[in-house]
PDB file of all heavy atoms in Angstrom:
ATOM      1  N   HIS A 639      10.602  -7.557  14.475  1.00 98.00           N
ATOM      2  CA  HIS A 639      10.674  -7.035  13.047  1.00 98.00           C
ATOM      3  C   HIS A 639      12.132  -6.770  12.687  1.00 98.00           C
ATOM      4  O   HIS A 639      12.783  -5.924  13.344  1.00 98.00           O
ATOM      5  CB  HIS A 639       9.847  -5.795  12.832  1.00 98.00           C
ATOM      6  CG  HIS A 639       9.879  -5.387  11.432  1.00 98.00           C
ATOM      7  ND1 HIS A 639       9.256  -6.155  10.429  1.00 98.00           N
ATOM      8  CD2 HIS A 639      10.416  -4.334  10.738  1.00 98.00           C
ATOM      9  CE1 HIS A 639       9.504  -5.582   9.254  1.00 98.00           C
ATOM     10  NE2 HIS A 639      10.171  -4.459   9.419  1.00 98.00           N
ATOM     11  N   ARG A 640      12.591  -7.414  11.653  1.00 97.00           N
ATOM     12  CA  ARG A 640      13.877  -7.135  11.069  1.00 97.00           C
ATOM     13  C   ARG A 640      13.619  -6.171   9.893  1.00 97.00           C
ATOM     14  O   ARG A 640      13.001  -6.608   8.902  1.00 97.00           O
ATOM     15  CB  ARG A 640      14.481  -8.451  10.559  1.00 97.00           C
ATOM     16  CG  ARG A 640      15.837  -8.231  10.073  1.00 97.00           C
ATOM     17  CD  ARG A 640      16.561  -9.592   9.954  1.00 97.00           C
ATOM     18  NE  ARG A 640      17.890  -9.351   9.464  1.00 97.00           N
ATOM     19  CZ  ARG A 640      18.811 -10.212   9.208  1.00 97.00           C
ATOM     20  NH1 ARG A 640      18.436 -11.489   9.323  1.00 97.00           N
ATOM     21  NH2 ARG A 640      19.958  -9.920   8.763  1.00 97.00           N
ATOM     22  N   TRP A 641      14.184  -5.048   9.990  1.00 98.00           N
ATOM     23  CA  TRP A 641      13.729  -3.936   9.069  1.00 98.00           C
ATOM     24  C   TRP A 641      14.438  -4.086   7.712  1.00 98.00           C
ATOM     25  O   TRP A 641      15.631  -4.490   7.577  1.00 98.00           O
ATOM     26  CB  TRP A 641      14.278  -2.644   9.620  1.00 98.00           C
ATOM     27  CG  TRP A 641      13.502  -2.084  10.749  1.00 98.00           C
ATOM     28  CD1 TRP A 641      13.618  -2.371  12.117  1.00 98.00           C
ATOM     29  CD2 TRP A 641      12.448  -1.099  10.664  1.00 98.00           C
ATOM     30  NE1 TRP A 641      12.769  -1.628  12.841  1.00 98.00           N
ATOM     31  CE2 TRP A 641      12.007  -0.808  12.046  1.00 98.00           C
ATOM     32  CE3 TRP A 641      11.841  -0.329   9.666  1.00 98.00           C
ATOM     33  CZ2 TRP A 641      11.070   0.122  12.313  1.00 98.00           C
ATOM     34  CZ3 TRP A 641      10.807   0.560   9.890  1.00 98.00           C
ATOM     35  CH2 TRP A 641      10.452   0.800  11.281  1.00 98.00           C
ATOM     36  N   THR A 642      13.723  -3.608   6.701  1.00 97.00           N
ATOM     37  CA  THR A 642      14.265  -3.279   5.364  1.00 97.00           C
ATOM     38  C   THR A 642      14.174  -1.770   5.296  1.00 97.00           C
ATOM     39  O   THR A 642      13.118  -1.195   5.733  1.00 97.00           O
ATOM     40  CB  THR A 642      13.418  -3.991   4.266  1.00 97.00           C
ATOM     41  OG1 THR A 642      13.574  -5.327   4.406  1.00 97.00           O
ATOM     42  CG2 THR A 642      13.919  -3.495   2.871  1.00 97.00           C
ATOM     43  N   ALA A 643      15.178  -1.072   4.776  1.00 97.00           N
ATOM     44  CA  ALA A 643      15.147   0.359   4.738  1.00 97.00           C
ATOM     45  C   ALA A 643      13.872   0.787   3.987  1.00 97.00           C
ATOM     46  O   ALA A 643      13.372   0.146   3.054  1.00 97.00           O
ATOM     47  CB  ALA A 643      16.337   0.881   4.003  1.00 97.00           C
ATOM     48  N   ARG A 644      13.331   1.934   4.421  1.00 97.00           N
ATOM     49  CA  ARG A 644      12.139   2.626   3.814  1.00 97.00           C
ATOM     50  C   ARG A 644      10.824   1.986   4.094  1.00 97.00           C
ATOM     51  O   ARG A 644       9.848   2.305   3.488  1.00 97.00           O
ATOM     52  CB  ARG A 644      12.394   2.855   2.282  1.00 97.00           C
ATOM     53  CG  ARG A 644      13.618   3.656   1.978  1.00 97.00           C
ATOM     54  CD  ARG A 644      14.088   3.420   0.528  1.00 97.00           C
ATOM     55  NE  ARG A 644      13.155   3.821  -0.463  1.00 97.00           N
ATOM     56  CZ  ARG A 644      12.625   2.969  -1.343  1.00 97.00           C
ATOM     57  NH1 ARG A 644      12.999   1.719  -1.322  1.00 97.00           N
ATOM     58  NH2 ARG A 644      11.769   3.376  -2.204  1.00 97.00           N
ATOM     59  N   GLU A 645      10.855   1.092   5.054  1.00 98.00           N
ATOM     60  CA  GLU A 645       9.575   0.574   5.528  1.00 98.00           C
ATOM     61  C   GLU A 645       8.981   1.493   6.524  1.00 98.00           C
ATOM     62  O   GLU A 645       9.758   2.364   7.104  1.00 98.00           O
ATOM     63  CB  GLU A 645       9.710  -0.817   6.209  1.00 98.00           C
ATOM     64  CG  GLU A 645       9.978  -1.942   5.332  1.00 98.00           C
ATOM     65  CD  GLU A 645      10.257  -3.247   6.081  1.00 98.00           C
ATOM     66  OE1 GLU A 645      10.928  -3.200   7.144  1.00 98.00           O
ATOM     67  OE2 GLU A 645       9.872  -4.288   5.528  1.00 98.00           O
ATOM     68  N   LEU A 646       7.692   1.398   6.748  1.00 98.00           N
ATOM     69  CA  LEU A 646       7.043   2.232   7.789  1.00 98.00           C
ATOM     70  C   LEU A 646       6.265   1.295   8.728  1.00 98.00           C
ATOM     71  O   LEU A 646       5.588   0.359   8.221  1.00 98.00           O
ATOM     72  CB  LEU A 646       6.072   3.283   7.167  1.00 98.00           C
ATOM     73  CG  LEU A 646       5.362   4.163   8.132  1.00 98.00           C
ATOM     74  CD1 LEU A 646       5.410   5.643   7.676  1.00 98.00           C
ATOM     75  CD2 LEU A 646       3.934   3.768   8.402  1.00 98.00           C
ATOM     76  N   ILE A 647       6.394   1.521  10.029  1.00 98.00           N
ATOM     77  CA  ILE A 647       5.671   0.744  10.951  1.00 98.00           C
ATOM     78  C   ILE A 647       4.861   1.693  11.856  1.00 98.00           C
ATOM     79  O   ILE A 647       5.416   2.760  12.246  1.00 98.00           O
ATOM     80  CB  ILE A 647       6.561  -0.181  11.803  1.00 98.00           C
ATOM     81  CG1 ILE A 647       7.307  -1.160  10.942  1.00 98.00           C
ATOM     82  CG2 ILE A 647       5.766  -0.915  12.866  1.00 98.00           C
ATOM     83  CD1 ILE A 647       8.143  -2.170  11.759  1.00 98.00           C
ATOM     84  N   LEU A 648       3.657   1.398  12.149  1.00 98.00           N
ATOM     85  CA  LEU A 648       2.925   2.127  13.122  1.00 98.00           C
ATOM     86  C   LEU A 648       2.262   1.153  14.124  1.00 98.00           C
ATOM     87  O   LEU A 648       1.897   0.068  13.741  1.00 98.00           O
ATOM     88  CB  LEU A 648       1.964   3.085  12.483  1.00 98.00           C
ATOM     89  CG  LEU A 648       0.750   2.675  11.715  1.00 98.00           C
ATOM     90  CD1 LEU A 648      -0.472   2.410  12.611  1.00 98.00           C
ATOM     91  CD2 LEU A 648       0.390   3.730  10.661  1.00 98.00           C
ATOM     92  N   TRP A 649       2.115   1.659  15.361  1.00 98.00           N
ATOM     93  CA  TRP A 649       1.588   0.719  16.416  1.00 98.00           C
ATOM     94  C   TRP A 649       0.844   1.511  17.400  1.00 98.00           C
ATOM     95  O   TRP A 649       0.960   2.713  17.513  1.00 98.00           O
ATOM     96  CB  TRP A 649       2.714  -0.106  17.032  1.00 98.00           C
ATOM     97  CG  TRP A 649       3.706   0.616  17.841  1.00 98.00           C
ATOM     98  CD1 TRP A 649       3.567   0.941  19.184  1.00 98.00           C
ATOM     99  CD2 TRP A 649       4.989   1.140  17.463  1.00 98.00           C
ATOM    100  NE1 TRP A 649       4.719   1.620  19.613  1.00 98.00           N
ATOM    101  CE2 TRP A 649       5.585   1.698  18.572  1.00 98.00           C
ATOM    102  CE3 TRP A 649       5.688   1.118  16.220  1.00 98.00           C
ATOM    103  CZ2 TRP A 649       6.793   2.314  18.547  1.00 98.00           C
ATOM    104  CZ3 TRP A 649       6.926   1.770  16.234  1.00 98.00           C
ATOM    105  CH2 TRP A 649       7.494   2.273  17.308  1.00 98.00           C
ATOM    106  N   ASP A 650       0.121   0.830  18.295  1.00 98.00           N
ATOM    107  CA  ASP A 650      -0.750   1.357  19.292  1.00 98.00           C
ATOM    108  C   ASP A 650      -0.014   1.232  20.628  1.00 98.00           C
ATOM    109  O   ASP A 650      -0.027   0.180  21.195  1.00 98.00           O
ATOM    110  CB  ASP A 650      -2.099   0.592  19.242  1.00 98.00           C
ATOM    111  CG  ASP A 650      -3.105   1.319  20.173  1.00 98.00           C
ATOM    112  OD1 ASP A 650      -2.768   2.092  21.052  1.00 98.00           O
ATOM    113  OD2 ASP A 650      -4.264   0.990  19.987  1.00 98.00           O
ATOM    114  N   ASN A 651       0.500   2.384  21.113  1.00 98.00           N
ATOM    115  CA  ASN A 651       1.167   2.350  22.412  1.00 98.00           C
ATOM    116  C   ASN A 651       0.347   2.041  23.645  1.00 98.00           C
ATOM    117  O   ASN A 651       0.861   1.732  24.719  1.00 98.00           O
ATOM    118  CB  ASN A 651       1.830   3.723  22.670  1.00 98.00           C
ATOM    119  CG  ASN A 651       3.069   3.937  21.814  1.00 98.00           C
ATOM    120  OD1 ASN A 651       4.087   3.270  22.043  1.00 98.00           O
ATOM    121  ND2 ASN A 651       2.957   4.824  20.835  1.00 98.00           N
ATOM    122  N   ARG A 652      -0.951   2.079  23.493  1.00 98.00           N
ATOM    123  CA  ARG A 652      -1.834   1.875  24.585  1.00 98.00           C
ATOM    124  C   ARG A 652      -1.847   0.407  24.955  1.00 98.00           C
ATOM    125  O   ARG A 652      -2.108   0.018  26.105  1.00 98.00           O
ATOM    126  CB  ARG A 652      -3.265   2.298  24.306  1.00 98.00           C
ATOM    127  CG  ARG A 652      -3.326   3.863  24.028  1.00 98.00           C
ATOM    128  CD  ARG A 652      -4.636   4.287  23.446  1.00 98.00           C
ATOM    129  NE  ARG A 652      -4.710   3.867  22.053  1.00 98.00           N
ATOM    130  CZ  ARG A 652      -5.810   4.176  21.230  1.00 98.00           C
ATOM    131  NH1 ARG A 652      -6.721   4.978  21.691  1.00 98.00           N
ATOM    132  NH2 ARG A 652      -5.854   3.708  20.000  1.00 98.00           N
ATOM    133  N   CYS A 653      -1.582  -0.484  24.026  1.00 98.00           N
ATOM    134  CA  CYS A 653      -1.737  -1.931  24.246  1.00 98.00           C
ATOM    135  C   CYS A 653      -0.509  -2.722  23.741  1.00 98.00           C
ATOM    136  O   CYS A 653      -0.614  -3.948  23.564  1.00 98.00           O
ATOM    137  CB  CYS A 653      -3.020  -2.414  23.583  1.00 98.00           C
ATOM    138  SG  CYS A 653      -3.179  -1.979  21.876  1.00 98.00           S
ATOM    139  N   VAL A 654       0.585  -2.042  23.470  1.00 98.00           N
ATOM    140  CA  VAL A 654       1.775  -2.687  22.936  1.00 98.00           C
ATOM    141  C   VAL A 654       3.023  -2.078  23.639  1.00 98.00           C
ATOM    142  O   VAL A 654       3.127  -0.880  23.792  1.00 98.00           O
ATOM    143  CB  VAL A 654       1.954  -2.450  21.399  1.00 98.00           C
ATOM    144  CG1 VAL A 654       3.304  -2.793  20.892  1.00 98.00           C
ATOM    145  CG2 VAL A 654       0.854  -3.134  20.646  1.00 98.00           C
ATOM    146  N   MET A 655       3.990  -2.937  24.087  1.00 98.00           N
ATOM    147  CA  MET A 655       5.276  -2.438  24.414  1.00 98.00           C
ATOM    148  C   MET A 655       6.221  -2.761  23.287  1.00 98.00           C
ATOM    149  O   MET A 655       6.011  -3.661  22.489  1.00 98.00           O
ATOM    150  CB  MET A 655       5.808  -3.104  25.698  1.00 98.00           C
ATOM    151  CG  MET A 655       5.192  -2.603  26.980  1.00 98.00           C
ATOM    152  SD  MET A 655       6.244  -2.815  28.476  1.00 98.00           S
ATOM    153  CE  MET A 655       6.495  -4.541  28.512  1.00 98.00           C
ATOM    154  N   HIS A 656       7.330  -1.992  23.190  1.00 98.00           N
ATOM    155  CA  HIS A 656       8.296  -2.222  22.136  1.00 98.00           C
ATOM    156  C   HIS A 656       9.723  -1.910  22.634  1.00 98.00           C
ATOM    157  O   HIS A 656       9.884  -1.297  23.680  1.00 98.00           O
ATOM    158  CB  HIS A 656       7.979  -1.381  20.908  1.00 98.00           C
ATOM    159  CG  HIS A 656       8.107   0.114  21.176  1.00 98.00           C
ATOM    160  ND1 HIS A 656       7.149   0.837  21.806  1.00 98.00           N
ATOM    161  CD2 HIS A 656       9.063   0.992  20.939  1.00 98.00           C
ATOM    162  CE1 HIS A 656       7.510   2.045  21.948  1.00 98.00           C
ATOM    163  NE2 HIS A 656       8.701   2.185  21.383  1.00 98.00           N
ATOM    164  N   ARG A 657      10.658  -2.453  21.861  1.00 97.00           N
ATOM    165  CA  ARG A 657      12.061  -2.123  22.160  1.00 97.00           C
ATOM    166  C   ARG A 657      12.816  -2.294  20.847  1.00 97.00           C
ATOM    167  O   ARG A 657      12.370  -2.975  19.926  1.00 97.00           O
ATOM    168  CB  ARG A 657      12.640  -3.104  23.217  1.00 97.00           C
ATOM    169  CG  ARG A 657      12.784  -4.488  22.717  1.00 97.00           C
ATOM    170  CD  ARG A 657      13.565  -5.426  23.641  1.00 97.00           C
ATOM    171  NE  ARG A 657      13.592  -6.723  23.147  1.00 97.00           N
ATOM    172  CZ  ARG A 657      14.036  -7.789  23.833  1.00 97.00           C
ATOM    173  NH1 ARG A 657      14.497  -7.651  25.024  1.00 97.00           N
ATOM    174  NH2 ARG A 657      14.020  -9.018  23.246  1.00 97.00           N
ATOM    175  N   ALA A 658      14.035  -1.698  20.806  1.00 97.00           N
ATOM    176  CA  ALA A 658      14.933  -1.883  19.735  1.00 97.00           C
ATOM    177  C   ALA A 658      16.033  -2.838  20.147  1.00 97.00           C
ATOM    178  O   ALA A 658      16.256  -3.009  21.387  1.00 97.00           O
ATOM    179  CB  ALA A 658      15.529  -0.589  19.291  1.00 97.00           C
ATOM    180  N   THR A 659      16.665  -3.531  19.276  1.00 97.00           N
ATOM    181  CA  THR A 659      17.811  -4.427  19.629  1.00 97.00           C
ATOM    182  C   THR A 659      19.096  -3.704  19.192  1.00 97.00           C
ATOM    183  O   THR A 659      19.079  -2.840  18.364  1.00 97.00           O
ATOM    184  CB  THR A 659      17.637  -5.803  18.963  1.00 97.00           C
ATOM    185  OG1 THR A 659      17.794  -5.656  17.512  1.00 97.00           O
ATOM    186  CG2 THR A 659      16.360  -6.484  19.316  1.00 97.00           C
ATOM    187  N   PRO A 660      20.167  -4.082  19.914  1.00 96.00           N
ATOM    188  CA  PRO A 660      21.446  -3.385  19.609  1.00 96.00           C
ATOM    189  C   PRO A 660      21.950  -3.705  18.181  1.00 96.00           C
ATOM    190  O   PRO A 660      21.492  -4.623  17.567  1.00 96.00           O
ATOM    191  CB  PRO A 660      22.393  -4.010  20.624  1.00 96.00           C
ATOM    192  CG  PRO A 660      21.547  -4.727  21.576  1.00 96.00           C
ATOM    193  CD  PRO A 660      20.285  -5.069  20.963  1.00 96.00           C
TER     194      PRO A 660
END
Side-chain angles (χ1 to χ4, degrees):
H639 186 65
R640 184 166 181 184
W641 287 84
T642 297
R644 299 158 60 241
E645 287 174 325
L646 181 135
I647 298 187
L648 66 87
W649 68 86
D650 189 341
N651 282 293
R652 297 168 292 186
C653 52
V654 168
M655 284 206 299
H656 63 283
R657 68 171 177 188
T659 64

